[in-house]
Amino acid sequence: GQNIDQPTEMTATEGAIVQINCTYQTSGFNGLFWYQQHAGEAPTFLSYNVLDGLEEKGRFSSFLSRSKGYSYLLLKELQMKDSASYLCAVRDSNYQLIWGAGTKLIIKP
Amino acid sequence: SQTIHQWPATLVQPVGSPLSLECTVEGTSNPNLYWYRQAAGRGLQLLFYSVGIGQISSEVPQNLSASRPQDRQFILSSKKLLLSDSGFYLCATEWSGDTGELFFGEGSRLTVL
């Protein structure tokens, strides 16, 4: 079966750096997405990786290793507004999105 | 630019009552449209997707149904709600850019009592 694993919850301190990992086992691979979801709201797109390596977008970066079935989302200079759930999703060979359950990130002052 | 709207935002329904959630997309034609459900603390579950008017694919057997009466309108329905239908329902469409990521409507929180 297809599976995406990410930690259920993480805690970090304002101003610090946090890395959220995602490992996947899917039928084929056509890209990996990270979304941010604040409580009670819809997910919003953060980043997309289809080739190995690091994609940087401001305070957020996302890394992909296809051979290891692994990605991480790196958040720098954490702000209180970064408290949210972060969802990892992989597009498989049928172009269907497989979703992880999300990582709830708690930022403490 | 593309926009997507869904309503109602919140509803509380008794078991056995009907349901209708509506989603509309603007700024694009012939979009792929999706209905997802998100239970508390769980990932997104794809319920239905549609590639065109009257074309609906169901991903999971359930008492829900979907219809696409117009190109940019997608409706999620039920004739008789179950307790297990409670959740956060999200309509989504694909961004027309290179990556094709999904972007979502505001969501509809359904509580079945």
Side-chain angles (χ1 to χ4, degrees), chain A residues 72-107:
Chain A
Y72 67 73
L73 180 69
L74 191 71
L75 292 75
K76 302 177 184 177
E77 301 171 13
L78 286 169
Q79 302 175 10
M80 297 303 294
K81 68 178 182 180
D82 297 328
S83 292
S85 289
Y86 292 86
L87 311 179
C88 175
V90 172
R91 191 157 56 192
D92 68 10
S93 57
N94 293 320
Y95 279 76
Q96 296 296 315
L97 273 178
I98 312 302
W99 293 84
T103 299
K104 182 178 180 181
L105 178 62
I106 300 168
I107 309 297

Side-chain angles (χ1 to χ4, degrees), chain A residues 20-24 32 34 62-65 69-73:
Chain A
I20 302 174
N21 295 325
C22 170
T23 57
Y24 62 89
L32 184 144
W34 284 97
S62 56
F63 171 83
L64 173 68
S65 169
Y70 169 69
S71 172
Y72 67 73
L73 180 69

Side-chain angles (χ1 to χ4, degrees), chain A residues 6-20:
Chain A
Q6 46 181 135
T8 303
E9 187 174 297
M10 300 181 69
T11 302
T13 304
E14 189 177 16
I17 299 173
V18 70
Q19 179 176 310
I20 302 174

Side-chain angles (χ1 to χ4, degrees), chain B residues 2-113:
Chain B
Q2 289 174 264
T3 58
I4 181 169
H5 299 287
Q6 65 176 103
W7 65 92
T10 306
L11 60 167
V12 180
Q13 297 284 107
V15 169
S17 64
L19 171 74
S20 181
L21 302 178
E22 188 164 343
C23 172
T24 59
V25 180
E26 297 177 357
T28 185
S29 59
N30 197 31
N32 291 337
L33 296 173
Y34 303 81
W35 277 112
Y36 281 91
R37 177 170 60 201
Q38 186 177 36
R42 302 187 61 180
L44 295 174
Q45 178 188 29
L46 180 62
L47 301 176
F48 300 95
Y49 70 93
S50 172
V51 299
I53 296 174
Q55 299 179 65
I56 309 293
S57 296
S58 174
E59 291 297 306
V60 291
Q62 60 212 335
N63 68 319
L64 300 173
S65 62
S67 62
R68 187 165 175 177
Q70 300 181 44
D71 181 45
R72 288 172 282 182
Q73 183 184 28
F74 203 24
I75 297 172
L76 182 69
S77 303
S78 174
K79 292 182 178 178
K80 289 185 177 182
L81 285 168
L82 307 173
L83 286 174
S84 57
D85 291 324
S86 294
F88 191 44
Y89 289 81
L90 291 156
C91 181
T93 189
E94 292 167 4
W95 187 251
S96 56
D98 293 339
T99 59
E101 75 270 16
L102 290 183
F103 69 103
F104 294 86
E106 301 92 340
S108 299
R109 184 160 305 280
L110 170 65
T111 303
V112 182
L113 301 176

